[in-house]
Amino acid sequence: MKTKRLNWIDMAKGFAMILVMFGHAPFSSSVQAEIYTFHLPLFFFMSGYLFSNVKYNNFAAFFKKRFITIGIPYFCFSFIEYIYFFVANNKQNVSPLKSLIGTIIPLRFNNGTLHNGTLWFIVCLFMAELMFFLIVKYTKNDKKKIIICLIVSAIIACVYNIYIKKPLPWSIDVSFFAVVFYGIGYLIRGIENKVSKLVSIKYLFLFLIANVLIGHLNIRYLNAGIDMSASRYGNYFLFFTSAFCGIMASVIFCRLLPKSRVLIYVGKNSIIFMAFHQMILYPIIDKLITHISFFTSQKSYIVTLNGIIHVGITMIVMIPIIYVINNYMPFILGKGFSKKVTKVNDTAVIDKIE
């Protein structure tokens, strides 16, 4: 049962990551608009589903652990994107110092974060996790009090976005939205027995149809696509409702699916895919495809094919990159400085040097 549970969790993370890649690739605008109604909330939800504070006696211990597992990858991948940006892609003539400051104090839609813009999600997740730890700590894990705190967080997020709507460093403004989905994931895990009864084709279609209809209403209300990074939420009630329906449809879908090694692989390495796909690989693929006249057409089926090619090539190219990082550069992921692999009775033994 435990293995099956872990499989669907990684599959859900992989599914969310693939949706993110399609969302950033050339693709049908209507399909992308649908994806944006729930793909990032799904990521926050899955992270919250896995949340546990039992190992940490205080906030400092939790902060240290999360800085290692999220903060270090953010800075390492930002450094890689920093180098790529100034070697191959600095079309805006941004100064290296400004980008360095933008890495340390990331601010969305700022010239200082042009090199690592996609990584705003990672710092937002980091802030959301810290916020939720404090919520659990000071409510003493009382579920009713947690719900109240999540509602208050949603209200703060909405009020700030209505009257101020300026990006804050480390995406703190979006974190107040993100922690709501994070907390829902945590609370859902606590009623796993009830949720498991919803795992059926019937409920999959019910949640999916609800997501599409409510999301479409919200997109029409906003007259633009939903985008958490751009602080575009439309009607807040419709935003939260459509996102939750999309999350539940995705969870049920991944739990109904047979084991998928591809989704599990992408899910386990989602942070690496997040770092490389949009800011490094997509520009390279764009340059290659622009030399093929067939792909310059704006016909819907060609645009769709173009998007599929972007995602397909990225997933293939990422295989050796992921292999090198996981086996020879694990420090990038906050997992120590090196790995030494030896074989004992045909069993791999990994010695980590922290």
Side-chain angles (χ1 to χ4, degrees):
M1 181 64 70
K2 183 178 180 181
T3 301
K4 183 177 181 181
R5 179 181 67 83
L6 291 175
N7 282 339
W8 81 257
I9 289 173
D10 285 326
M11 286 167 62
K13 290 169 61 181
F15 179 64
M17 188 64 244
I18 290 174
L19 290 179
V20 168
M21 289 192 288
F22 273 117
H24 291 153
F27 215 67
S28 166
S29 58
S30 58
V31 174
Q32 284 184 326
E34 164 60 21
I35 288 172
Y36 271 70
T37 63
F38 72 93
H39 69 330
L40 291 184
L42 175 59
F43 257 121
F44 293 122
F45 174 92
M46 295 310 305
S47 298
Y49 191 93
L50 295 170
F51 173 83
S52 174
N53 68 331
V54 294
K55 297 179 181 179
Y56 312 102
N57 295 324
N58 52 59
F59 178 78
F62 183 78
F63 178 91
K64 179 181 178 181
K65 179 63 176 179
R66 285 299 182 263
F67 183 81
I68 291 172
T69 57
I70 300 179
I72 289 178
Y74 164 74
F75 284 111
C76 288
F77 286 127
S78 289
F79 179 69
I80 293 172
E81 293 184 348
Y82 180 90
I83 293 175
Y84 172 78
F85 182 78
F86 284 102
V87 170
N89 204 34
N90 186 11
K91 297 178 182 179
Q92 292 81 4
N93 294 318
V94 181
S95 72
L97 178 60
K98 188 167 187 176
S99 291
L100 182 62
I101 295 172
T103 297
I104 299 172
I105 310 174
L107 186 65
R108 302 188 319 281
F109 299 99
N110 180 277
N111 283 346
T113 55
L114 288 175
H115 66 292
N116 69 344
T118 310
L119 298 184
W120 77 269
F121 170 83
I122 296 178
V123 296
C124 182
L125 175 62
F126 177 69
M127 297 305 300
E129 293 210 342
L130 298 182
M131 290 166 63
F132 192 70
F133 178 88
L134 293 174
I135 289 173
V136 172
K137 178 178 175 60
Y138 289 106
T139 60
K140 297 181 179 179
N141 206 23
D142 184 298
K143 300 301 185 292
K144 291 182 180 179
K145 291 180 180 179
I146 289 175
I147 292 172
I148 292 172
C149 288
L150 296 181
I151 293 173
V152 171
S153 179
I155 293 172
I156 292 172
C158 294
V159 170
Y160 181 87
N161 200 57
I162 291 171
Y163 293 103
I164 301 177
K165 202 176 184 177
K166 290 184 178 180
L168 291 175
W170 285 75
S171 292
I172 295 174
D173 53 314
V174 185
S175 297
F176 279 96
F177 283 103
V179 77
V180 176
F181 298 111
Y182 192 97
I184 291 173
Y186 175 74
L187 295 172
I188 288 289
R189 189 187 66 184
I191 54 172
E192 171 63 26
N193 292 335
K194 295 180 180 179
V195 175
S196 62
K197 295 178 181 178
L198 301 177
V199 181
S200 66
I201 296 293
K202 178 180 71 173
Y203 285 107
L204 168 61
F205 279 105
L206 283 174
F207 280 115
L208 179 59
I209 292 170
N211 164 257
V212 172
L213 292 178
I214 298 171
H216 181 68
L217 285 175
N218 197 23
I219 291 169
R220 291 193 64 181
Y221 173 88
L222 182 62
N223 198 28
I226 306 301
D227 189 343
M228 292 184 72
S229 68
S231 299
R232 293 203 307 262
Y233 304 98
N235 178 281
Y236 296 107
F237 176 78
L238 295 179
F239 165 71
F240 281 114
T241 306
S242 62
F244 178 74
C245 290
I247 289 169
M248 291 305 298
S250 301
V251 168
I252 294 171
F253 173 69
C254 291
R255 294 182 70 157
L256 287 174
L257 275 181
K259 179 180 177 180
S260 169
R261 292 185 178 181
V262 173
L263 288 179
I264 291 173
Y265 178 80
V266 176
K268 287 183 176 180
N269 298 287
S270 58
I271 193 170
I272 307 178
F273 277 97
M274 185 72 74
F276 279 87
H277 79 281
Q278 185 183 24
M279 307 307 293
I280 297 179
L281 295 180
Y282 279 11
I284 295 173
I285 297 171
D286 284 336
K287 290 179 181 178
L288 295 175
I289 287 182
T290 53
H291 294 292
I292 304 173
S293 59
F294 175 78
F295 289 107
T296 59
S297 171
Q298 293 302 308
K299 293 181 179 179
S300 59
Y301 73 92
I302 295 178
V303 173
T304 299
L305 179 61
N306 194 347
I308 293 173
I309 289 174
H310 272 71
V311 175
I313 292 176
T314 296
M315 291 183 67
I316 294 171
V317 172
M318 286 300 299
I319 293 174
I321 295 174
I322 289 170
Y323 178 83
V324 170
I325 290 175
N326 282 330
N327 290 278
Y328 300 103
M329 305 171 70
F331 63 90
I332 290 179
L333 303 174
K335 296 180 179 179
F337 290 98
S338 66
K339 283 186 178 182
K340 180 181 178 182
V341 181
T342 59
K343 287 189 176 180
V344 179
N345 296 327
D346 297 324
T347 302
V349 179
I350 301 177
D351 300 315
K352 288 173 61 178
I353 303 174
E354 299 292 347

